[in-house]
Amino acid sequence: MHRRVPPIIQFIFYGMVASCIGALAGLIHELLHKPLDAASALIWLFLMGVSGGIVALVLLYKWNRLG
């Protein structure tokens, strides 16, 4: 059973989905650079992980698996 989420949670969810896609694009762009800058790639990977984690938490809340 799906739960209806408040508009602010929907706003955060869509923003984090966009942020995750942007971080993925940044990571791919960084990996294609020569020479590879590992520090920048790790930052993009961290940003993608954080935004993806927030997306996962919102989905778990929506699917009544959290709280």
Side-chain angles (χ1 to χ4, degrees), residues 1 11-12 15-16 19 21 23 27 30-31 34-35 37 40 45-46 48-49 54-57 59 62 67:
M1 191 75 182
F11 178 76
I12 291 170
M16 288 297 111
S19 177
I21 292 170
L27 178 65
E30 198 63 46
L31 291 175
K34 300 292 182 203
D37 186 11
S40 293
L45 191 61
F46 173 76
M48 191 174 60
I54 293 172
V55 166
L57 285 175
L59 285 176
K62 185 177 178 182

Side-chain angles (χ1 to χ4, degrees), residues 43-66:
I43 291 171
W44 284 113
L45 191 61
F46 173 76
L47 289 174
M48 191 174 60
V50 168
S51 58
I54 293 172
V55 166
L57 285 175
V58 171
L59 285 176
L60 286 174
Y61 175 77
K62 185 177 178 182
W63 293 335
N64 288 326
R65 305 254 192 255
L66 190 71

Side-chain angles (χ1 to χ4, degrees), residues 2-41:
H2 291 289
R3 176 189 302 190
R4 183 161 171 81
V5 294
I8 188 68
I9 302 296
Q10 289 178 354
F11 178 76
I12 291 170
F13 175 73
Y14 291 128
M16 288 297 111
V17 167
S19 177
C20 189
I21 292 170
L24 178 64
L27 178 65
I28 291 170
H29 181 271
E30 198 63 46
L31 291 175
L32 294 177
H33 266 284
K34 300 292 182 203
L36 175 66
D37 186 11
S40 293

